[in-house]
Amino acid sequence: MNPNRETTESHFTMNILLVYLHRIYSFKTVMENILYTPKAKALELPRVAFHTLGCKLNFSETATIARDFNPKQYQRVDFDSPAEVYVINTCSVTENADKRLKGLVKKVLKQNPKGFVAVIGCYAQLQPEEIASLEGVDLVLGATEKFKLNDYLHDLTKKEQGEIHSCEIEAANFYESSYSLSDRTRAFLKVQDGCDYKCTYCTIPQARGISRSDTLENVLTNAQKIADSGLQEIVLTGVNIGDYGKGEFGNKKHEHTFLELITALDTLESINRIRISSIEPNLVNNEIISFVAQSRRFVPHFHIPLQSGSDKILKSMKRRYLSSLYTNRITQIKEELPDACIGADVIVGYPGETEEDFLDTYHFLNSSEVSYLHVFTYSERPNTEAAVMEGEVDSATRSKRSKMLRALSVKKRRAFYESQLGKTHTVLFEGENKEGYITGFTENYVKVRTPWNPSLVNTLHPITLKEIDEEGYVRFAFLN
């Protein structure tokens, strides 16, 4: 055997090994650079996802709770994504609250069977034991504890039984400020919480406690923070915002009135639009209507709960007005703001509601200048007066009445839109691409759309309303 040949072959083999080792080392270096970037390190953090059921107030509180999660400790992800922590903020007003919650818990456990599920909010305050017994729920936090969610997340292992932290509702007498910034065009700003009214069908006082308010100074500070973020519109939210001004810890003295609040907000030069989310008919007085009519920032849109057009039913519900006062409010709004949009809440199937009572409601709304309806089918709630009243309305009748009023709402919204055709308004465009279209709302809540153009997002434009398309949106022309 030729020793020189053996040496040559050994050198050749060694060179090949060195080449491969170099390639492996280079690959390892590249992978380390990829795996240990800040983005990759973020993937190592526990992922947290939030979902909100119910009202604008809930959305503002979810957003505030989410901001408390340190981005160095948690990675925020979409609720439809796998996560280590899922937070569900619940509602006690929305129909079928229990079914919706069960569906959401099943959904997230499919995404991550080991995901830690925390349920917070109104329904969690009212039915903590029921929620804690749901398979997959690990933590239940009531009215006051929800704002301390972070304190309960030291151990993210799944629990056999949900852990409950829920106070007596009498302890919910202090105020927690909240506002949302998650929407790309508008923010929900909480100004008030709780309710002192005793409506017979409602669980909100049991879920949120007594009426209490943020300070005027703090509201203005939060409004400025929202403006500084670049959003164009603020929506004022609360349980009973017309009752604004009552202090913490049971102080019933109004430090400021709702009129004083909106007067102060109107001076903010940095925000373009302010919208009042919902206000009771007995509290939206003539002074408030007149102020909105001449305001530089408050838009001509009111949402005023009616609940029933039958005075008999309104009295049974312990509402603080009769249908005549509601009519007076609508009349004054339309006299001072002819193009104002007016929404109404209405409940059908309340105990003792006869066919005549329902028709009183239907005809009252049909003849009024209300622009649209939010229709709620009455459902019995534990620990409410109405739940034990006589005169139960069967489910089929409730469903039929609901369908009739929903159809009336469609008719009234279209009539309102038709009344605005040919008029000039200002639209604020939304941030979502909906099947190739961008949508937006005028100041008086007419929903418009045009082909998608991302440069329009979160911008205001004067337009002329032209026609209603086949899907009920209003088409328009830009003004130069």
Side-chain angles (χ1 to χ4, degrees):
M1 202 172 208
N2 188 337
N4 291 332
R5 184 180 174 185
E6 277 189 23
T7 304
T8 302
E9 287 178 352
S10 296
H11 283 211
F12 180 73
T13 303
M14 185 63 71
N15 286 336
I16 290 174
L17 286 171
L18 288 171
V19 168
Y20 276 110
L21 285 171
H22 178 73
R23 288 180 178 177
I24 290 169
Y25 179 79
S26 299
F27 177 74
K28 177 175 176 287
T29 303
V30 169
M31 290 305 295
E32 285 177 345
N33 288 336
I34 293 172
L35 291 171
Y36 293 98
T37 58
K39 183 177 180 182
K41 288 181 179 179
L43 293 174
E44 297 172 5
L45 297 174
R47 295 163 294 184
V48 60
F50 296 86
H51 186 82
T52 305
L53 296 170
C55 62
K56 296 177 178 68
L57 177 56
N58 266 10
F59 277 94
S60 73
E61 291 182 338
T62 300
T64 298
I65 292 166
R67 282 196 298 275
D68 286 340
F69 280 70
N70 189 333
K72 294 182 179 179
Q73 296 176 322
Y74 290 92
Q75 182 193 3
R76 179 88 178 266
V77 297
D78 189 80
F79 195 75
D80 294 327
S81 305
E84 280 65 55
V85 181
Y86 291 99
V87 182
I88 304 171
N89 193 359
T90 58
C91 173
S92 65
V93 174
T94 314
E95 296 174 30
N96 301 317
D98 55 341
K99 291 180 182 177
R100 296 187 69 186
L101 175 59
K102 288 176 184 176
L104 288 170
V105 173
K106 286 181 180 178
K107 170 187 172 178
V108 298
L109 291 179
K110 285 181 181 177
Q111 293 166 187
N112 180 9
K114 295 182 179 180
F116 187 93
V117 179
V119 179
I120 65 175
C122 293
Y123 191 48
Q125 175 67 34
L126 293 172
Q127 303 293 338
E129 291 84 8
E130 179 183 321
I131 295 171
S133 67
L134 291 179
E135 184 178 352
V137 172
D138 302 291
L139 179 65
V140 182
L141 299 182
T144 59
E145 290 79 6
K146 63 188 174 187
F147 292 103
K148 299 179 285 187
L149 173 61
N150 249 318
D151 297 343
Y152 298 100
L153 296 180
H154 300 303
D155 179 9
L156 298 182
T157 56
K158 294 293 291 177
K159 310 290 189 295
E160 288 194 13
Q161 175 80 11
E163 189 177 297
I164 298 173
H165 297 273
S166 182
C167 67
E168 294 297 321
I169 197 58
E170 289 75 18
N173 59 6
F174 57 92
Y175 190 83
E176 291 279 358
S177 294
S178 297
Y179 60 90
S180 70
L181 293 175
S182 53
D183 192 299
R184 294 175 66 184
T185 55
R186 65 178 55 82
F188 302 131
L189 173 58
K190 174 183 171 184
V191 300
Q192 183 272 342
D193 200 353
C195 188
D196 293 337
Y197 289 9
K198 306 297 180 186
C199 301
T200 57
Y201 53 83
C202 186
T203 58
I204 291 296
Q206 301 170 43
R208 285 189 167 270
I210 59 173
S211 179
R212 55 209 187 272
S213 309
D214 206 348
T215 65
L216 181 59
E217 180 183 12
N218 206 40
V219 172
L220 293 173
T221 298
N222 287 338
Q224 188 59 55
K225 289 178 183 177
I226 292 167
D228 291 343
S229 75
L231 298 186
Q232 302 278 11
E233 180 175 306
I234 291 175
V235 182
L236 301 183
T237 72
V239 175
N240 187 1
I241 62 174
D243 198 32
Y244 174 82
K246 288 180 180 176
E248 297 182 291
F249 312 115
N251 177 12
K252 298 304 178 187
K253 179 185 175 183
H254 282 77
E255 298 299 327
H256 293 94
T257 65
F258 185 71
L259 179 60
E260 288 171 337
L261 170 69
I262 61 177
T263 301
L265 285 167
D266 202 50
T267 64
L268 290 177
E269 298 291 338
S270 50
I271 198 75
N272 283 299
R273 285 183 175 181
I274 307 177
R275 198 177 296 273
I276 300 170
S277 60
S278 180
I279 185 166
E280 292 287 307
N282 53 301
L283 296 176
V284 57
N285 56 38
N286 295 342
E287 290 79 13
I288 291 171
I289 295 168
S290 295
F291 176 82
V292 172
Q294 55 81 45
S295 167
R296 296 177 296 168
R297 316 213 180 278
F298 281 83
V299 296
H301 175 206
F302 293 86
H303 191 93
I304 308 174
L306 171 65
Q307 310 307 7
S308 177
S310 162
D311 286 346
K312 183 193 93 176
I313 297 298
L314 288 174
K315 290 176 183 177
S316 177
M317 289 176 167
K318 295 187 178 179
R319 299 293 287 166
R320 300 193 179 195
Y321 56 88
L322 297 177
S323 59
S324 57
L325 182 140
Y326 196 93
T327 298
N328 291 341
R329 296 293 189 254
I330 303 300
T331 300
Q332 192 196 347
I333 290 170
K334 284 297 187 178
E335 283 179 355
E336 298 204 40
L337 293 156
D339 292 325
C341 180
I342 305 170
D345 293 338
V346 61
I347 297 171
V348 296
Y350 178 85
E353 183 188 63
T354 64
E355 189 68 14
E356 182 181 356
D357 297 327
F358 170 71
L359 290 176
D360 283 346
T361 298
Y362 187 93
H363 294 312
F364 178 86
L365 289 166
N366 190 39
S367 60
S368 78
E369 291 191 86
V370 166
S371 313
Y372 65 89
L373 310 174
H374 286 171
V375 183
F376 297 88
T377 302
Y378 173 77
S379 58
E380 289 77 3
R381 302 299 167 94
N383 303 315
T384 60
E385 285 187 58
V388 294
M389 286 182 177
E390 297 181 354
E392 180 181 342
V393 179
D394 64 83
S395 58
T397 302
R398 295 185 205 187
S399 178
K400 182 189 77 172
R401 292 174 183 176
S402 175
K403 287 177 182 176
M404 286 178 66
L405 285 188
R406 290 175 195 275
L408 178 61
S409 179
V410 171
K411 186 182 89 169
K412 294 192 77 66
R413 188 185 294 272
R414 185 173 184 92
F416 174 66
Y417 281 8
E418 287 176 347
S419 74
Q420 299 303 299
L421 297 182
K423 295 183 179 180
T424 297
H425 292 290
T426 302
V427 62
L428 172 59
F429 285 104
E430 309 278 301
E432 185 181 352
N433 184 337
K434 295 185 177 181
E435 299 180 351
Y437 289 93
I438 187 170
T439 61
F441 285 96
T442 62
E443 69 278 13
N444 64 340
Y445 214 54
V446 174
K447 193 166 189 177
V448 305
R449 73 172 180 174
T450 194
W452 172 253
N453 180 350
S455 68
L456 293 176
V457 173
N458 195 36
T459 61
L460 291 156
H461 294 271
I463 60 170
T464 299
L465 303 180
K466 291 294 187 181
E467 61 183 1
I468 304 172
D469 69 20
E470 67 281 358
E471 293 189 30
Y473 295 93
V474 177
R475 298 302 186 96
F476 61 89
F478 286 103
L479 293 182
N480 295 327

